[in-house]
Amino acid sequence: MSLQLRHSLSLMTGDKQADRSVPPTGFTAWLTLFTAAAMAFLAVFALALSTATDRLADRWAAELARTSTLRISAPEDQMAAQTAAAIRLLETTPGVAEARPLTDEEQRTLLEPWFGPDLPVETLPIPRLIEIIEEGEGYDPTGLRARLQAEVPGAVLDDHTRWREPLVEAANRLRLLGWVSIALIAASTGAMITLAAQAALSANAQVIRVMRLVGATDEYIASAFVRRFTIRAFNGAFVGVVLGGIGILFLPDTEVAGGFLTGLGFQGGEWIWLLLVPPLAAMVAFLATWAAALRNLREQS
Amino acid sequence: MVIELDKVAYSYGGGELFSDLSLTMAPGSFHFLTGPSGAGKTTLLKLCYGELTATAGQARIFGQDSRTLSRDQVAMVRRRIGVVHQDCQFLDHLSVAENVALPLAVSGRASEAGQNLSDLLAWVGLTGQAAQRPPELSGGERQRAALARAVIMSPDVIIADEPTGNIDWEMSQRLLRLLVELNKMGKTVFVATHDLNLIRAAKSQVSARILRLKDRRLQVAGVDL
Ligand SMILES: Nc1ncnc2c1ncn2[C@@H]1O[C@H](COP(=O)(O)OP(=O)(O)OP(=O)(O)O)[C@@H](O)[C@H]1O
Ligand SMILES: [Mg+2]
């Protein structure tokens, strides 16, 4: 086990001589660097999408879960009594922090966009709204509905589940798409690096032949290629992450523009995710080159 | 036995170059191989160091059937057999010194090069060319570099394919003396050459067996050639 570890470490830190033995090939070097940089750049946006969606889903779920509305429709002479009964009932319900009827003023503000500012709310038979603010785990909506039905026949409870579920569902789907994109980006990086490694191995067939003639093992020859591609993928991904990070950093400010698109970005600790991209790219390159090299060497005599 | 060929045959796909060929090489022995161009000398040497495997019969290298060697075992065998290839085979992007030290490098012993490497370069007269690239060397210089590379690992066996092909007589003599010296140190030496003068010169220094590959057969040549 420790031998295995030391072995992998020596593959990474390496033998300069093995690196010198294989001449550098400009074309595959640039291809690897460019691919790693481009893919890391894309990965930054996929990560930003995932974390932003995460945040959004949490926020929607939290905000909508904390409040609900009770609507009371009753003949005018019973309205005050039913409202008072509902408030009493709500105040004794576990999980309800506060229950408060909206004032006429607040109701007018709510309706203003539809009916204009001069609506005579007092004279209209519109339902009375009670805002419920939850605490702790919240209340049990089924139990509350049963009690309301018995005591306040004109009350309808809207706990926002209806709104919340599709939103949270959409956010979850979006987050999944973000992670699928990252997996696809990693897979295409692996495929591109495999091709570049194969090109480098073919271009160096004669060098490999001479190295084998003087007693180099497949592992020694492969490690020269593996190390080179791993380092290039790391460096390329690093550049891509820096550029992608700068792109995200300079998106228009959330405060000013508002909305989901500009919420795309990282907050605080989320920037750590970016640090994982170059090592991930390096790992993909390591595995892809190792597999390509061993396969190629076994095929050449 | 270091190398044993037991009724081997080889063909590149056409007719057999040779067949039913047997040869045993004891540790510390010295063999010359001669024969007309195209007779299959290089091919025979390749069977001896495991670059080719016989199409019939059995080749045993250090006691092991060469067909059963794994790829890693082939690499290990090559570290014990120093080979001077007829076409030299260098890495042209490395310096002469780095090429000579390549067998040490690929076996993870690069740090051992040091003094040994400069002594060896001095011995083959390439101190001044150490930093040059192989394509910048003359044919004879390349062959001397190839010999230096073949012996740097201090191998048990040295196989040389036309090591004196491009060298003047004086350098050939020096090269021969090195091979004889290595043989006196207990190494097995196998040299393919057209150069009968070289073989004659060797006879006064070492007791060598002289083999002749001709008409698909291996004969032990007479002392008078
Ligand atoms: N890779 C190969 N594929 C097909 N035929 C080959 C190959 N290598 C050598 N031959 C043929 O095999 C024959 C023997 O070649 P080989 O190199 O063993 O001869 P040789 O005795 O070393 O000749 P020389 O003295 O000129 O070096 C030649 O006719 C050559 O054309
Ligand atoms: Mg030959």
Side-chain angles (χ1 to χ4, degrees):
Chain A
M1 177 62 217
S2 91
L3 199 91
Q4 193 66 32
L5 185 73
R6 218 179 35 233
H7 182 70
S8 318
L9 278 178
S10 81
L11 276 180
M12 292 309 305
T13 54
D15 171 346
K16 292 245 170 50
Q17 187 59 43
D19 291 353
R20 296 252 311 114
S21 306
V22 179
T25 39
F27 155 69
T28 57
W30 284 110
L31 183 63
T32 315
L33 266 175
F34 174 77
T35 305
M39 292 299 179
F41 189 81
L42 295 178
V44 168
F45 288 95
L47 270 175
L49 178 73
S50 293
T51 54
T53 316
D54 229 9
R55 224 166 29 234
L56 205 66
D58 284 352
R59 206 171 65 212
W60 283 341
E63 280 177 6
L64 290 171
R66 304 311 293 174
T67 63
S68 36
T69 318
L70 191 68
R71 192 174 77 231
I72 299 174
S73 315
E76 200 167 343
D77 55 328
Q78 287 173 33
M79 189 62 101
Q82 287 214 13
T83 306
I87 296 278
R88 258 196 321 278
L89 194 150
L90 286 169
E91 277 169 351
T92 59
T93 304
V96 173
E98 196 190 330
R100 184 183 65 86
L102 296 190
T103 60
D104 285 348
E105 195 57 38
E106 286 170 317
Q107 299 228 40
R108 185 177 295 121
T109 318
L110 275 178
L111 294 171
E112 200 182 281
W114 282 273
F115 298 107
D118 309 320
L119 189 70
V121 178
E122 318 71 54
T123 66
L124 284 175
I126 53 170
R128 173 64 57 188
L129 297 178
I130 297 176
E131 185 186 38
I132 304 168
I133 297 174
E134 295 167 33
E135 64 181 6
E137 294 290 283
Y139 57 82
D140 162 29
T142 327
L144 182 59
R145 278 203 184 92
R147 289 171 61 202
L148 282 168
Q149 198 152 38
E151 297 184 32
V152 193
V156 177
L157 177 68
D158 178 3
D159 64 359
H160 298 172
T161 327
R162 217 150 33 99
W163 305 109
R164 190 164 72 217
E165 274 173 357
L167 282 179
V168 172
E169 175 72 4
N172 284 338
R173 198 63 68 76
L174 212 53
R175 179 169 46 190
L176 179 68
L177 287 178
W179 287 111
V180 168
S181 312
I182 290 168
L184 287 177
I185 288 168
S188 356
T189 309
M192 288 291 279
I193 288 176
T194 299
L195 286 179
Q198 275 168 353
L201 287 156
S202 314
N204 284 301
Q206 177 58 19
V207 168
I208 291 171
R209 209 180 97 79
V210 172
M211 286 171 78
R212 276 202 58 82
L213 279 179
V214 299
T217 56
D218 286 351
E219 195 177 293
Y220 180 87
I221 298 169
S223 72
F225 288 91
V226 166
R227 200 157 35 243
R228 198 171 284 188
F229 278 87
T230 303
I231 291 169
R232 279 178 200 151
F234 184 91
N235 291 344
F238 186 81
V239 171
V241 161
V242 168
L243 294 178
I246 290 175
I248 294 278
L249 204 57
F250 286 98
L251 276 178
D253 205 357
T254 319
E255 308 272 307
V256 181
F260 168 70
L261 270 181
T262 52
L264 199 68
F266 301 99
Q267 283 174 8
E270 287 169 5
W271 287 96
I272 299 283
W273 284 103
L274 296 193
L275 291 183
L276 295 181
V277 174
L280 183 72
M283 203 175 79
V284 167
F286 179 90
L287 296 175
T289 315
W290 193 243
L294 289 188
R295 200 165 351 103
N296 180 293
L297 289 171
R298 282 197 199 107
E299 280 164 12
Q300 298 182 12
S301 74
Chain B
M1 291 296 129
V2 181
I3 291 168
E4 289 174 273
L5 303 182
D6 192 6
K7 300 196 173 70
V8 298
Y10 194 82
S11 107
Y12 282 103
E16 278 177 341
L17 269 179
F18 44 76
S19 57
D20 207 20
L21 185 156
S22 296
L23 169 66
T24 58
M25 226 171 268
S29 61
F30 200 124
H31 286 77
F32 279 108
L33 177 64
T34 65
S37 179
K41 299 184 294 296
T42 299
T43 307
L44 180 57
L45 295 187
K46 284 179 176 171
L47 292 176
C48 292
Y49 60 84
E51 189 178 348
L52 297 176
T53 47
T55 45
Q58 195 186 53
R60 284 187 295 278
I61 305 173
F62 300 119
Q64 198 176 352
D65 185 342
S66 68
R67 279 170 306 194
T68 68
L69 293 170
S70 70
R71 290 178 64 80
D72 279 354
Q73 283 173 324
V74 169
M76 297 310 141
V77 160
R78 288 179 184 173
R79 294 177 192 184
R80 295 177 64 188
I81 303 181
V83 181
V84 179
H85 302 272
Q86 192 167 10
D87 48 0
C88 293
Q89 305 277 8
F90 292 115
L91 295 183
D92 289 346
H93 63 285
L94 296 183
S95 69
V96 169
E98 284 172 317
N99 267 288
V100 169
L102 192 63
L104 285 175
V106 302
S107 44
R109 291 165 51 189
S111 56
E112 291 171 34
Q115 190 57 40
N116 191 6
L117 175 61
S118 24
D119 288 351
L120 204 51
L121 286 171
W123 198 90
V124 294
L126 290 176
T127 306
Q129 283 84 356
Q132 276 174 258
R133 313 272 140 185
E136 299 161 8
L137 299 185
S138 74
E141 286 166 338
R142 285 165 66 81
Q143 273 179 322
R144 278 137 63 192
L147 182 71
R149 186 182 68 182
V151 302
I152 194 157
M153 291 283 278
S154 173
D156 301 323
V157 183
I158 291 140
I159 292 181
D161 197 353
E162 300 289 353
T164 58
N166 292 304
I167 331 188
D168 59 45
W169 176 243
E170 200 182 324
M171 186 52 76
S172 303
Q173 290 290 98
R174 265 170 74 184
L175 227 144
L176 178 65
R177 272 200 299 279
L178 174 69
L179 290 170
V180 169
E181 219 173 281
L182 290 164
N183 180 245
K184 296 240 156 85
M185 288 162 62
K187 319 253 177 230
T188 312
V189 179
F190 192 13
V191 182
T193 183
H194 283 120
D195 189 348
L196 298 186
N197 287 327
L198 188 77
I199 300 178
R200 285 191 197 100
K203 277 195 296 186
S204 60
Q205 302 173 35
V206 68
S207 77
R209 201 144 67 113
I210 299 150
L211 308 169
R212 191 172 161 77
L213 186 59
K214 200 184 168 201
D215 304 329
R216 308 174 63 215
R217 288 280 176 273
L218 193 65
Q219 313 151 351
V220 177
V223 235
D224 45 54
L225 289 165

